[in-house]
Short mmCIF file of all heavy atoms in Angstrom, two decimals:
data_model
loop_
_atom_site.label_atom_id
_atom_site.label_comp_id
_atom_site.label_asym_id
_atom_site.label_seq_id
_atom_site.Cartn_x
_atom_site.Cartn_y
_atom_site.Cartn_z
N ASP P 1 78.55 120.01 101.37
CA ASP P 1 77.08 119.98 101.39
C ASP P 1 76.65 118.75 102.18
O ASP P 1 76.99 117.62 101.84
CB ASP P 1 76.58 119.92 99.95
CG ASP P 1 75.08 120.05 99.86
OD1 ASP P 1 74.36 119.84 100.86
OD2 ASP P 1 74.60 120.42 98.75
N PRO P 2 75.81 118.95 103.22
CA PRO P 2 75.34 117.79 104.01
C PRO P 2 74.52 116.80 103.17
O PRO P 2 74.44 115.61 103.50
CB PRO P 2 74.51 118.38 105.15
CG PRO P 2 74.32 119.82 104.78
CD PRO P 2 75.33 120.22 103.73
N LYS P 3 73.95 117.28 102.09
CA LYS P 3 73.19 116.42 101.21
C LYS P 3 74.09 115.38 100.54
O LYS P 3 73.63 114.30 100.13
CB LYS P 3 72.44 117.21 100.13
CG LYS P 3 71.28 118.02 100.66
CD LYS P 3 70.57 118.74 99.59
CE LYS P 3 69.39 119.54 100.12
NZ LYS P 3 68.66 120.24 99.04
N ARG P 4 75.37 115.71 100.43
CA ARG P 4 76.33 114.79 99.82
C ARG P 4 76.40 113.51 100.65
O ARG P 4 76.46 112.41 100.10
CB ARG P 4 77.70 115.48 99.73
CG ARG P 4 78.71 114.78 98.92
CD ARG P 4 79.88 115.71 98.71
NE ARG P 4 80.92 115.09 97.92
CZ ARG P 4 81.88 115.76 97.31
NH1 ARG P 4 81.94 117.06 97.39
NH2 ARG P 4 82.80 115.14 96.62
N ASP P 5 76.45 113.65 101.95
CA ASP P 5 76.52 112.46 102.83
C ASP P 5 75.17 111.75 102.84
O ASP P 5 75.14 110.51 102.88
CB ASP P 5 76.94 112.86 104.25
CG ASP P 5 78.34 113.39 104.31
OD1 ASP P 5 79.23 112.88 103.61
OD2 ASP P 5 78.57 114.35 105.07
N GLU P 6 74.08 112.50 102.81
CA GLU P 6 72.76 111.90 102.75
C GLU P 6 72.62 111.07 101.49
O GLU P 6 72.03 109.97 101.53
CB GLU P 6 71.66 112.98 102.73
CG GLU P 6 71.33 113.59 104.07
CD GLU P 6 70.21 114.61 103.93
OE1 GLU P 6 69.10 114.19 103.56
OE2 GLU P 6 70.45 115.79 104.15
N ALA P 7 73.13 111.59 100.39
CA ALA P 7 73.05 110.88 99.11
C ALA P 7 73.76 109.53 99.20
O ALA P 7 73.24 108.50 98.77
CB ALA P 7 73.64 111.73 97.99
N PHE P 8 74.95 109.54 99.80
CA PHE P 8 75.67 108.26 99.92
C PHE P 8 74.93 107.32 100.87
O PHE P 8 74.88 106.11 100.62
CB PHE P 8 77.11 108.48 100.45
CG PHE P 8 77.82 107.15 100.65
CD1 PHE P 8 78.12 106.34 99.57
CD2 PHE P 8 78.15 106.72 101.92
CE1 PHE P 8 78.75 105.12 99.74
CE2 PHE P 8 78.77 105.51 102.12
CZ PHE P 8 79.10 104.69 101.03
N ASP P 9 74.34 107.85 101.94
CA ASP P 9 73.58 107.00 102.86
C ASP P 9 72.43 106.31 102.11
O ASP P 9 72.16 105.13 102.35
CB ASP P 9 73.05 107.83 104.04
CG ASP P 9 74.17 108.22 104.98
OD1 ASP P 9 75.27 107.63 104.94
OD2 ASP P 9 73.93 109.21 105.75
N LEU P 10 71.74 107.04 101.27
CA LEU P 10 70.63 106.45 100.48
C LEU P 10 71.18 105.34 99.55
O LEU P 10 70.58 104.29 99.41
CB LEU P 10 69.90 107.51 99.66
CG LEU P 10 69.09 108.51 100.42
CD1 LEU P 10 68.65 109.68 99.54
CD2 LEU P 10 67.83 107.83 101.01
N TYR P 11 72.30 105.63 98.92
CA TYR P 11 72.92 104.71 97.99
C TYR P 11 73.35 103.44 98.73
O TYR P 11 73.10 102.34 98.32
CB TYR P 11 74.14 105.37 97.33
CG TYR P 11 74.77 104.57 96.23
CD1 TYR P 11 74.21 104.51 94.97
CD2 TYR P 11 75.97 103.92 96.44
CE1 TYR P 11 74.80 103.80 93.96
CE2 TYR P 11 76.60 103.20 95.45
CZ TYR P 11 75.99 103.13 94.18
OH TYR P 11 76.58 102.41 93.17
N LYS P 12 73.96 103.63 99.91
CA LYS P 12 74.45 102.51 100.74
C LYS P 12 73.30 101.67 101.24
O LYS P 12 73.34 100.46 101.24
CB LYS P 12 75.28 103.05 101.90
CG LYS P 12 75.88 101.97 102.77
CD LYS P 12 76.85 102.55 103.78
CE LYS P 12 76.14 103.39 104.80
NZ LYS P 12 77.00 103.79 105.94
N ALA P 13 72.22 102.33 101.69
CA ALA P 13 71.06 101.63 102.19
C ALA P 13 70.42 100.73 101.14
O ALA P 13 69.83 99.68 101.48
CB ALA P 13 70.01 102.62 102.73
N SER P 14 70.56 101.10 99.87
CA SER P 14 69.98 100.28 98.82
C SER P 14 70.99 99.32 98.22
O SER P 14 70.74 98.66 97.22
CB SER P 14 69.45 101.20 97.71
OG SER P 14 70.56 101.74 96.95
N SER P 15 72.16 99.25 98.83
CA SER P 15 73.26 98.40 98.34
C SER P 15 73.63 98.77 96.90
O SER P 15 74.00 97.91 96.11
CB SER P 15 72.91 96.92 98.44
OG SER P 15 72.63 96.57 99.74
N GLY P 16 73.52 100.02 96.55
CA GLY P 16 73.89 100.50 95.23
C GLY P 16 72.84 100.27 94.19
O GLY P 16 73.10 100.47 93.00
N LYS P 17 71.65 99.84 94.57
CA LYS P 17 70.59 99.50 93.61
C LYS P 17 69.74 100.74 93.22
O LYS P 17 69.09 100.69 92.19
CB LYS P 17 69.69 98.43 94.16
CG LYS P 17 70.43 97.17 94.59
CD LYS P 17 70.55 96.20 93.45
CE LYS P 17 71.07 94.84 93.92
NZ LYS P 17 72.50 94.77 94.11
N ILE P 18 69.72 101.76 94.04
CA ILE P 18 68.90 102.94 93.76
C ILE P 18 69.42 103.73 92.58
O ILE P 18 70.63 103.79 92.37
CB ILE P 18 68.79 103.82 95.03
CG1 ILE P 18 67.68 104.87 94.89
CG2 ILE P 18 70.11 104.46 95.34
CD1 ILE P 18 67.40 105.63 96.19
N ARG P 19 68.53 104.28 91.80
CA ARG P 19 68.96 105.09 90.65
C ARG P 19 69.39 106.47 91.12
O ARG P 19 68.80 107.00 92.07
CB ARG P 19 67.82 105.21 89.63
CG ARG P 19 67.51 103.88 88.99
CD ARG P 19 66.36 103.92 87.99
NE ARG P 19 65.99 105.25 87.53
CZ ARG P 19 64.78 105.62 87.23
NH1 ARG P 19 63.78 104.78 87.34
NH2 ARG P 19 64.51 106.83 86.82
N LEU P 20 70.41 107.01 90.48
CA LEU P 20 70.90 108.35 90.87
C LEU P 20 69.82 109.39 90.71
O LEU P 20 69.77 110.36 91.48
CB LEU P 20 72.14 108.70 90.06
CG LEU P 20 73.32 107.75 90.24
CD1 LEU P 20 74.52 108.29 89.47
CD2 LEU P 20 73.67 107.55 91.68
N THR P 21 68.95 109.22 89.73
CA THR P 21 67.83 110.16 89.54
C THR P 21 66.88 110.18 90.74
O THR P 21 66.37 111.19 91.10
CB THR P 21 67.05 109.88 88.25
OG1 THR P 21 66.62 108.51 88.27
CG2 THR P 21 67.84 110.14 87.01
N ASP P 22 66.71 109.00 91.35
CA ASP P 22 65.86 108.89 92.53
C ASP P 22 66.47 109.62 93.73
O ASP P 22 65.80 110.32 94.48
CB ASP P 22 65.57 107.44 92.89
CG ASP P 22 64.76 106.72 91.83
OD1 ASP P 22 64.04 107.39 91.08
OD2 ASP P 22 64.83 105.48 91.77
N ILE P 23 67.82 109.44 93.88
CA ILE P 23 68.50 110.15 94.95
C ILE P 23 68.39 111.64 94.73
O ILE P 23 68.10 112.43 95.65
CB ILE P 23 69.99 109.73 95.00
CG1 ILE P 23 70.13 108.28 95.42
CG2 ILE P 23 70.75 110.62 95.99
CD1 ILE P 23 71.54 107.71 95.35
N ALA P 24 68.63 112.09 93.50
CA ALA P 24 68.54 113.51 93.18
C ALA P 24 67.20 114.10 93.47
O ALA P 24 67.10 115.19 94.07
CB ALA P 24 68.92 113.71 91.70
N SER P 25 66.14 113.40 93.12
CA SER P 25 64.81 113.96 93.35
C SER P 25 64.45 113.97 94.84
O SER P 25 63.83 114.91 95.31
CB SER P 25 63.73 113.16 92.58
OG SER P 25 63.66 111.83 93.04
N GLN P 26 64.95 112.99 95.59
CA GLN P 26 64.66 112.96 97.04
C GLN P 26 65.37 114.11 97.76
O GLN P 26 64.86 114.64 98.73
CB GLN P 26 65.13 111.61 97.67
CG GLN P 26 64.21 110.48 97.34
CD GLN P 26 64.65 109.20 98.04
OE1 GLN P 26 65.05 109.23 99.20
NE2 GLN P 26 64.60 108.10 97.30
N LEU P 27 66.55 114.49 97.27
CA LEU P 27 67.34 115.53 97.92
C LEU P 27 67.21 116.89 97.27
O LEU P 27 67.86 117.87 97.68
CB LEU P 27 68.82 115.10 97.99
CG LEU P 27 69.10 113.83 98.75
CD1 LEU P 27 70.58 113.49 98.68
CD2 LEU P 27 68.67 113.93 100.18
N SER P 28 66.41 116.99 96.22
CA SER P 28 66.19 118.24 95.47
C SER P 28 67.50 118.83 94.94
O SER P 28 67.78 120.01 95.09
CB SER P 28 65.49 119.27 96.36
OG SER P 28 64.25 118.76 96.77
N VAL P 29 68.31 117.96 94.34
CA VAL P 29 69.53 118.39 93.64
C VAL P 29 69.49 117.80 92.24
O VAL P 29 68.68 116.93 91.93
CB VAL P 29 70.82 117.96 94.38
CG1 VAL P 29 70.91 118.62 95.73
CG2 VAL P 29 70.94 116.46 94.51
N SER P 30 70.38 118.25 91.35
CA SER P 30 70.38 117.73 90.00
C SER P 30 71.03 116.35 89.93
O SER P 30 71.86 116.01 90.80
CB SER P 30 71.14 118.69 89.07
OG SER P 30 72.52 118.58 89.27
N GLU P 31 70.65 115.61 88.96
CA GLU P 31 71.25 114.28 88.75
C GLU P 31 72.75 114.39 88.53
O GLU P 31 73.53 113.58 88.99
CB GLU P 31 70.59 113.55 87.59
CG GLU P 31 71.11 112.17 87.36
CD GLU P 31 70.55 111.49 86.14
OE1 GLU P 31 69.62 112.02 85.50
OE2 GLU P 31 71.05 110.40 85.80
N GLY P 32 73.17 115.43 87.82
CA GLY P 32 74.59 115.66 87.54
C GLY P 32 75.36 115.88 88.81
O GLY P 32 76.51 115.43 88.94
N THR P 33 74.77 116.55 89.79
CA THR P 33 75.40 116.76 91.05
C THR P 33 75.64 115.44 91.76
O THR P 33 76.73 115.15 92.25
CB THR P 33 74.54 117.68 91.96
OG1 THR P 33 74.42 118.96 91.29
CG2 THR P 33 75.15 117.89 93.32
N VAL P 34 74.62 114.62 91.80
CA VAL P 34 74.73 113.29 92.46
C VAL P 34 75.76 112.44 91.73
O VAL P 34 76.60 111.77 92.35
CB VAL P 34 73.36 112.57 92.52
CG1 VAL P 34 73.50 111.17 93.09
CG2 VAL P 34 72.37 113.38 93.32
N ARG P 35 75.77 112.47 90.38
CA ARG P 35 76.72 111.70 89.62
C ARG P 35 78.15 112.17 89.93
O ARG P 35 79.08 111.33 90.09
CB ARG P 35 76.44 111.90 88.11
CG ARG P 35 77.15 110.88 87.26
CD ARG P 35 76.82 111.01 85.77
NE ARG P 35 75.40 111.04 85.50
CZ ARG P 35 74.74 112.08 84.99
NH1 ARG P 35 75.36 113.20 84.70
NH2 ARG P 35 73.46 112.02 84.76
N GLY P 36 78.32 113.48 90.11
CA GLY P 36 79.67 114.01 90.48
C GLY P 36 80.10 113.56 91.85
O GLY P 36 81.25 113.17 92.03
N TRP P 37 79.16 113.58 92.81
CA TRP P 37 79.50 113.12 94.15
C TRP P 37 79.89 111.65 94.14
O TRP P 37 80.86 111.26 94.78
CB TRP P 37 78.31 113.30 95.09
CG TRP P 37 77.93 114.72 95.41
CD1 TRP P 37 78.74 115.82 95.30
CD2 TRP P 37 76.68 115.17 95.94
NE1 TRP P 37 78.04 116.97 95.70
CE2 TRP P 37 76.77 116.57 96.11
CE3 TRP P 37 75.49 114.54 96.25
CZ2 TRP P 37 75.72 117.32 96.60
CZ3 TRP P 37 74.45 115.30 96.73
CH2 TRP P 37 74.56 116.70 96.94
N LYS P 38 79.15 110.85 93.36
CA LYS P 38 79.45 109.43 93.28
C LYS P 38 80.85 109.19 92.73
O LYS P 38 81.60 108.36 93.28
CB LYS P 38 78.40 108.74 92.40
CG LYS P 38 78.63 107.23 92.27
CD LYS P 38 77.62 106.59 91.36
CE LYS P 38 77.94 105.11 91.21
NZ LYS P 38 77.15 104.46 90.18
N ALA P 39 81.21 109.94 91.72
CA ALA P 39 82.53 109.75 91.12
C ALA P 39 83.65 110.28 92.05
O ALA P 39 84.65 109.58 92.28
CB ALA P 39 82.58 110.47 89.77
N LYS P 40 83.46 111.49 92.56
CA LYS P 40 84.53 112.12 93.36
C LYS P 40 84.77 111.35 94.69
O LYS P 40 85.90 111.27 95.14
CB LYS P 40 84.16 113.57 93.65
CG LYS P 40 84.25 114.45 92.43
CD LYS P 40 83.72 115.83 92.73
CE LYS P 40 83.56 116.60 91.45
NZ LYS P 40 82.53 117.62 91.52
N ASP P 41 83.68 110.88 95.29
CA ASP P 41 83.78 110.19 96.57
C ASP P 41 84.01 108.68 96.41
O ASP P 41 84.15 107.99 97.44
CB ASP P 41 82.55 110.44 97.45
CG ASP P 41 82.41 111.90 97.85
OD1 ASP P 41 83.39 112.65 97.72
OD2 ASP P 41 81.31 112.28 98.25
N LYS P 42 84.00 108.21 95.18
CA LYS P 42 84.20 106.78 94.90
C LYS P 42 83.27 105.87 95.71
O LYS P 42 83.67 105.01 96.48
CB LYS P 42 85.67 106.39 95.18
CG LYS P 42 86.64 107.15 94.31
CD LYS P 42 88.08 106.69 94.60
CE LYS P 42 89.06 107.29 93.58
NZ LYS P 42 89.18 108.71 93.59
N TRP P 43 81.97 106.11 95.51
CA TRP P 43 80.94 105.36 96.25
C TRP P 43 81.07 103.85 96.05
O TRP P 43 80.88 103.09 97.00
CB TRP P 43 79.55 105.79 95.83
CG TRP P 43 79.14 107.14 96.30
CD1 TRP P 43 79.90 108.02 97.06
CD2 TRP P 43 77.92 107.80 96.06
NE1 TRP P 43 79.16 109.15 97.29
CE2 TRP P 43 77.94 109.06 96.68
CE3 TRP P 43 76.76 107.44 95.39
CZ2 TRP P 43 76.87 109.95 96.66
CZ3 TRP P 43 75.69 108.32 95.33
CH2 TRP P 43 75.77 109.59 95.98
N GLU P 44 81.42 103.43 94.82
CA GLU P 44 81.52 102.00 94.56
C GLU P 44 82.58 101.37 95.44
O GLU P 44 82.40 100.30 96.01
CB GLU P 44 81.84 101.75 93.08
CG GLU P 44 80.73 102.16 92.10
CD GLU P 44 79.50 101.30 92.22
OE1 GLU P 44 79.59 100.14 92.63
OE2 GLU P 44 78.40 101.83 91.95
N ASP P 45 83.76 102.06 95.54
CA ASP P 45 84.82 101.53 96.37
C ASP P 45 84.46 101.56 97.84
O ASP P 45 84.77 100.61 98.60
CB ASP P 45 86.10 102.40 96.20
CG ASP P 45 86.67 102.28 94.77
OD1 ASP P 45 86.30 101.32 94.08
OD2 ASP P 45 87.48 103.16 94.40
N MET P 46 83.76 102.62 98.29
CA MET P 46 83.35 102.70 99.70
C MET P 46 82.36 101.60 100.03
O MET P 46 82.44 100.99 101.10
CB MET P 46 82.72 104.08 99.97
CG MET P 46 83.73 105.20 99.96
SD MET P 46 82.99 106.85 99.97
CE MET P 46 82.12 106.87 101.53
N LEU P 47 81.45 101.31 99.07
CA LEU P 47 80.48 100.24 99.28
C LEU P 47 81.15 98.91 99.37
O LEU P 47 80.85 98.09 100.24
CB LEU P 47 79.45 100.27 98.14
CG LEU P 47 78.07 99.72 98.40
CD1 LEU P 47 77.40 100.44 99.52
CD2 LEU P 47 77.21 99.80 97.13
N ALA P 48 82.14 98.67 98.50
CA ALA P 48 82.89 97.41 98.50
C ALA P 48 83.65 97.25 99.82
O ALA P 48 83.71 96.14 100.37
CB ALA P 48 83.82 97.35 97.30
#
């Protein structure tokens, strides 16, 4: 899903400060979907 990369871009742009609910609402996906992407893609590690 191209929104998966968009979600990480939003997260990265905020240096990890944005809430997952905000990302979900901006991309019109569920918070659970964003939470899953964050875990599966290891956003924290990618950001570090």
Side-chain angles (χ1 to χ4, degrees):
D1 188 339
K3 289 183 180 181
R4 191 169 180 162
D5 295 321
E6 281 183 64
F8 177 67
D9 289 341
L10 289 169
Y11 187 78
K12 183 172 67 171
S14 74
S15 301
K17 305 271 190 279
I18 192 171
R19 293 179 16 214
L20 299 184
T21 52
D22 294 337
I23 293 173
S25 65
Q26 286 183 42
L27 299 178
S28 301
V29 296
S30 74
E31 182 185 353
T33 298
V34 176
R35 195 178 308 115
W37 291 341
K38 181 182 177 190
K40 290 172 191 154
D41 294 345
K42 299 182 173 62
W43 289 0
E44 294 293 332
D45 294 342
M46 290 169 62
L47 205 59

